[in-house]
Structures are given as structure tokens and as C-alpha cells.
Coordinates of all heavy atoms in Angstrom, one line a residue:
V1 N -7.0 -1.4 12.5 CA -7.0 -1.8 11.1 C -6.0 -1.1 10.3 O -5.3 -1.6 9.5 CB -8.4 -1.6 10.5 CG1 -8.4 -1.9 9.0 CG2 -9.5 -2.5 11.2
L2 N -5.9 0.3 10.5 CA -4.9 1.1 9.8 C -3.5 0.6 10.2 O -2.7 0.5 9.3 CB -5.1 2.6 10.2 CG -4.2 3.6 9.5 CD1 -4.3 3.5 8.0 CD2 -4.4 5.0 10.1
A3 N -3.2 0.4 11.5 CA -2.0 0.0 11.9 C -1.6 -1.4 11.2 O -0.4 -1.6 10.8 CB -1.8 -0.1 13.4
A4 N -2.5 -2.3 11.2 CA -2.3 -3.6 10.6 C -2.0 -3.5 9.1 O -1.1 -4.2 8.6 CB -3.5 -4.5 10.8
A5 N -2.7 -2.5 8.4 CA -2.4 -2.3 7.0 C -1.0 -1.7 6.7 O -0.3 -2.1 5.8 CB -3.5 -1.4 6.4
V6 N -0.6 -0.8 7.6 CA 0.7 -0.3 7.5 C 1.8 -1.3 7.6 O 2.8 -1.4 6.8 CB 0.9 0.8 8.6 CG1 2.4 1.3 8.6 CG2 0.0 2.0 8.3
K7 N 1.6 -2.2 8.6 CA 2.6 -3.3 8.8 C 2.6 -4.3 7.6 O 3.6 -4.8 7.2 CB 2.3 -4.1 10.1 CG 2.5 -3.1 11.3 CD 2.1 -3.9 12.6 CE 2.3 -3.0 13.9 NZ 1.8 -3.7 15.1
Q8 N 1.4 -4.6 7.1 CA 1.3 -5.6 6.0 C 2.0 -5.0 4.8 O 2.7 -5.7 4.0 CB -0.1 -5.9 5.7 CG -0.3 -6.9 4.5 CD -1.8 -7.2 4.1 OE1 -2.4 -7.9 4.9 NE2 -2.2 -6.7 3.0
E9 N 1.7 -3.8 4.5 CA 2.2 -3.2 3.2 C 3.6 -2.5 3.4 O 4.1 -2.0 2.4 CB 1.2 -2.1 2.8 CG -0.2 -2.6 2.5 CD -0.2 -3.6 1.3 OE1 0.4 -3.3 0.3 OE2 -0.8 -4.7 1.4
N10 N 4.1 -2.6 4.6 CA 5.4 -2.0 4.9 C 5.5 -0.5 4.5 O 6.3 -0.1 3.8 CB 6.5 -2.8 4.2 CG 7.9 -2.4 4.7 OD1 8.1 -1.9 5.9 ND2 9.0 -2.5 3.8
S11 N 4.4 0.2 4.9 CA 4.3 1.6 4.5 C 5.2 2.6 5.3 O 5.2 2.4 6.6 CB 2.8 2.0 4.7 OG 2.0 1.2 3.9
Q12 N 5.8 3.5 4.7 CA 6.6 4.5 5.3 C 5.8 5.8 5.5 O 6.1 6.6 6.4 CB 7.9 4.7 4.6 CG 8.9 3.6 4.7 CD 8.6 2.5 3.7 OE1 8.3 2.7 2.5 NE2 8.6 1.2 4.2
V13 N 4.8 6.0 4.6 CA 4.1 7.2 4.7 C 2.6 6.9 4.6 O 2.2 6.1 3.8 CB 4.4 8.2 3.5 CG1 3.6 9.5 3.6 CG2 5.9 8.5 3.4
V14 N 1.8 7.5 5.6 CA 0.4 7.3 5.6 C -0.3 8.6 5.5 O 0.1 9.6 6.2 CB 0.0 6.6 7.0 CG1 -1.5 6.4 7.0 CG2 0.8 5.4 7.2
I15 N -1.3 8.7 4.6 CA -2.0 9.9 4.3 C -3.5 9.8 4.8 O -4.2 8.8 4.5 CB -2.0 10.2 2.9 CG1 -0.6 10.2 2.2 CG2 -2.7 11.6 2.6 CD1 0.4 11.2 2.9
L16 N -3.9 10.8 5.6 CA -5.3 10.8 6.1 C -6.0 12.1 5.6 O -5.4 13.2 5.7 CB -5.3 10.7 7.6 CG -4.6 9.6 8.3 CD1 -4.7 9.7 9.8 CD2 -5.2 8.2 7.9
P17 N -7.2 12.0 5.1 CA -7.9 13.3 4.9 C -8.4 13.9 6.2 O -8.3 13.2 7.3 CB -9.2 12.7 4.1 CG -9.4 11.3 4.5 CD -8.0 10.8 4.8
K18 N -8.8 15.1 6.1 CA -9.2 15.9 7.3 C -10.7 15.5 7.6 O -11.6 15.7 6.8 CB -9.1 17.3 7.1 CG -9.7 18.2 8.2 CD -9.0 18.0 9.5 CE -9.6 18.9 10.6 NZ -9.0 18.6 11.9
S19 N -10.9 14.9 8.8 CA -12.2 14.7 9.4 C -12.0 14.4 10.8 O -11.0 14.0 11.3 CB -12.9 13.5 8.6 OG -12.3 12.3 9.0
G20 N -13.2 14.4 11.5 CA -13.2 14.0 12.9 C -12.7 12.6 13.2 O -12.0 12.3 14.1
L21 N -13.2 11.7 12.3 CA -12.8 10.3 12.4 C -11.4 10.1 12.2 O -10.7 9.4 13.0 CB -13.6 9.5 11.4 CG -13.2 8.0 11.2 CD1 -13.4 7.2 12.5 CD2 -13.9 7.3 10.1
C22 N -10.8 10.7 11.1 CA -9.4 10.6 10.8 C -8.5 11.2 11.9 O -7.4 10.6 12.2 CB -9.1 11.1 9.5 SG -9.8 10.2 8.1
D23 N -8.9 12.3 12.4 CA -8.2 12.9 13.5 C -8.0 11.9 14.7 O -6.9 11.7 15.3 CB -8.8 14.2 14.0 CG -8.7 15.3 13.0 OD1 -7.9 15.2 12.0 OD2 -9.4 16.4 13.2
A24 N -9.1 11.3 15.1 CA -9.1 10.4 16.2 C -8.4 9.1 15.9 O -7.5 8.7 16.7 CB -10.6 10.1 16.6
M25 N -8.5 8.5 14.8 CA -7.9 7.3 14.5 C -6.4 7.5 14.2 O -5.6 6.6 14.5 CB -8.6 6.5 13.3 CG -8.5 7.2 12.0 SD -9.3 6.3 10.6 CE -8.2 5.0 10.3
G26 N -6.1 8.6 13.5 CA -4.7 8.8 13.2 C -3.8 8.9 14.5 O -2.7 8.4 14.4
A27 N -4.3 9.6 15.5 CA -3.5 9.8 16.7 C -3.3 8.4 17.4 O -2.2 8.0 17.8 CB -4.2 10.7 17.6
R28 N -4.3 7.6 17.4 CA -4.2 6.3 18.0 C -3.3 5.3 17.2 O -2.6 4.5 17.8 CB -5.7 5.7 18.1 CG -6.5 6.4 19.2 CD -8.0 5.9 19.1 NE -8.7 6.4 20.3 CZ -9.2 7.6 20.4 NH1 -9.0 8.5 19.5 NH2 -9.8 8.0 21.5
A29 N -3.4 5.4 15.9 CA -2.6 4.6 15.0 C -1.1 5.0 15.2 O -0.2 4.1 15.2 CB -3.0 4.7 13.5
A30 N -0.9 6.3 15.3 CA 0.5 6.7 15.5 C 1.2 6.2 16.8 O 2.3 5.7 16.9 CB 0.6 8.2 15.6
A31 N 0.3 6.1 17.9 CA 0.8 5.5 19.1 C 1.1 4.0 19.0 O 2.0 3.5 19.5 CB -0.3 5.8 20.2
K32 N 0.2 3.3 18.3 CA 0.4 1.9 18.0 C 1.7 1.6 17.2 O 2.3 0.6 17.5 CB -0.8 1.3 17.3 CG -2.1 1.2 18.2 CD -3.2 0.7 17.3 CE -4.5 0.7 18.0 NZ -4.5 -0.5 19.1
L33 N 2.0 2.5 16.3 CA 3.1 2.3 15.3 C 4.4 2.9 15.8 O 5.4 2.7 15.2 CB 2.7 2.7 13.9 CG 1.6 2.0 13.2 CD1 1.0 2.9 12.1 CD2 2.0 0.6 12.8
G34 N 4.3 3.8 16.7 CA 5.4 4.6 17.1 C 5.9 5.6 16.0 O 7.0 5.9 15.7
A35 N 4.8 6.1 15.3 CA 5.1 6.9 14.1 C 5.0 8.4 14.5 O 4.4 8.8 15.5 CB 3.9 6.6 13.1
S36 N 5.7 9.2 13.6 CA 5.5 10.6 13.6 C 4.2 11.0 13.0 O 3.8 10.4 12.0 CB 6.7 11.3 12.9 OG 7.9 11.0 13.5
I37 N 3.5 12.0 13.6 CA 2.2 12.4 13.0 C 2.2 13.9 12.9 O 2.6 14.6 13.9 CB 1.0 11.9 13.8 CG1 -0.3 12.3 13.1 CG2 1.1 12.3 15.2 CD1 -1.5 11.5 13.7
V38 N 1.7 14.4 11.7 CA 1.6 15.9 11.5 C 0.2 16.1 11.0 O -0.2 15.5 10.0 CB 2.7 16.4 10.5 CG1 2.5 17.9 10.4 CG2 4.1 16.1 11.0
S39 N -0.5 17.0 11.6 CA -1.9 17.3 11.1 C -1.9 18.7 10.4 O -1.0 19.6 10.5 CB -2.9 17.4 12.2 OG -2.5 18.3 13.2
G40 N -3.0 19.0 9.7 CA -3.2 20.3 9.0 C -2.2 20.5 7.9 O -1.8 21.7 7.7
V41 N -1.7 19.5 7.2 CA -0.7 19.7 6.2 C -1.3 20.4 5.0 O -2.4 20.0 4.5 CB -0.1 18.3 5.8 CG1 0.9 18.5 4.6 CG2 0.7 17.7 7.0
T42 N -0.7 21.4 4.4 CA -1.3 22.2 3.4 C -0.6 22.1 2.0 O -1.1 22.5 1.0 CB -1.2 23.7 3.8 OG1 0.2 24.1 4.0 CG2 -2.0 24.0 5.0
E43 N 0.6 21.4 1.9 CA 1.3 21.3 0.7 C 2.0 19.9 0.6 O 2.1 19.2 1.6 CB 2.4 22.4 0.5 CG 1.9 23.8 0.6 CD 3.0 24.8 0.7 OE1 4.2 24.4 0.5 OE2 2.8 26.0 0.8
L44 N 2.4 19.6 -0.6 CA 3.2 18.4 -0.7 C 4.5 18.5 0.0 O 5.0 19.6 0.2 CB 3.5 18.1 -2.2 CG 2.3 17.6 -3.1 CD1 2.6 17.7 -4.6 CD2 1.9 16.2 -2.6
P45 N 5.1 17.4 0.5 CA 6.3 17.5 1.2 C 7.5 18.0 0.4 O 7.6 17.7 -0.8 CB 6.5 16.1 1.8 CG 5.7 15.2 0.9 CD 4.6 16.0 0.5
D46 N 8.5 18.6 1.1 CA 9.7 19.0 0.5 C 10.7 17.9 0.8 O 11.1 17.7 2.0 CB 10.2 20.3 1.1 CG 11.6 20.7 0.6 OD1 12.1 20.1 -0.3 OD2 12.1 21.8 1.1

């Protein structure tokens, strides 16, 4: 569902809160989309 939403909205950046569910789905969505994924982010991007 997340991957489909990314494609529909043409999203370049996807934000996930920290949780067991989001950790699991985020990794799988990254594989589906060929996306870069970074966990444990603590600040806004530079």
C-alpha cells in the first residue's frame, strides 16, 4: 500500500515514525521501490 501511494503521488521523500510495524514495512517498501532507506534519523535533513 505504501509503495502504491508513493507511485500515485510521485513522492520523492517518505517519512515513517519509529515502530515495529514501520521498521518492517519500510524495509519491504524500499525493496519494492528501489529506494534509499535510513532509520534512526534524529534531525531534519541538511
Side-chain angles (χ1 to χ4, degrees):
V1 176
L2 179 63
V6 169
K7 292 175 181 177
Q8 175 181 294
E9 299 296 312
N10 192 28
S11 304
Q12 289 78 49
V13 182
V14 180
I15 308 300
L16 304 177
K18 172 64 180 173
S19 73
L21 172 63
C22 290
D23 289 349
M25 68 180 285
R28 288 168 170 80
K32 290 175 180 291
L33 295 165
S36 299
I37 183 168
V38 183
S39 61
V41 176
T42 60
E43 300 174 7
L44 288 167
D46 177 3

